[in-house]
Amino acid sequence: MKFLMVPLMTFLLWPFPASAFDRFDIVTTEQVREMLTAREAGTGEDFLLVNTLDDIIYHHEHIPGSVSLPWTRVADYEPVLGGDKAKCLVFY
């Protein structure tokens, strides 16, 4: 039994890359700040900033210019995302 546990634990604890994130670009807080500044100046890419937290948290505090789309109700808010597949969506 001891010999089986070592390979099993090694497999379970081995760091595997998250394959789902390969399809998405990860942006930093500083990059979002720069994107917001450029959008306000009219020189940046158009994007949709989406707050995925609960409505209560959104109404208490959120980044100006973001929309509330709680992750538990994404299907209900599909029209908010729009049909433009080329538009950049930033979720936080």
Side-chain angles (χ1 to χ4, degrees):
M1 183 71 164
K2 185 176 183 180
F3 296 109
L4 180 61
M5 291 300 290
V6 172
L8 180 62
M9 291 303 292
T10 302
F11 175 75
L12 292 175
L13 297 175
W14 192 263
F16 291 103
S19 61
F21 289 117
D22 293 344
R23 299 179 295 171
F24 306 104
D25 293 331
I26 306 297
V27 294
T28 65
T29 304
E30 186 57 38
Q31 289 171 315
V32 171
R33 186 176 291 125
E34 290 170 3
M35 291 169 68
L36 286 167
T37 302
R39 182 169 70 180
E40 288 174 6
T43 59
E45 175 184 6
D46 186 27
F47 66 97
L48 183 62
L49 187 59
V50 182
N51 181 327
T52 59
L53 301 173
D54 292 333
D55 285 330
I56 295 170
I57 297 171
Y58 177 82
H59 291 296
H60 177 69
E61 187 171 355
H62 63 274
I63 298 173
S66 66
V67 296
S68 177
L69 196 154
W71 69 270
T72 55
R73 298 186 325 203
V74 169
D76 298 338
Y77 285 88
E78 189 174 336
V80 173
L81 298 176
D84 185 1
K85 301 280 186 202
K87 189 171 190 172
C88 178
L89 303 175
V90 179
F91 295 86
Y92 75 97

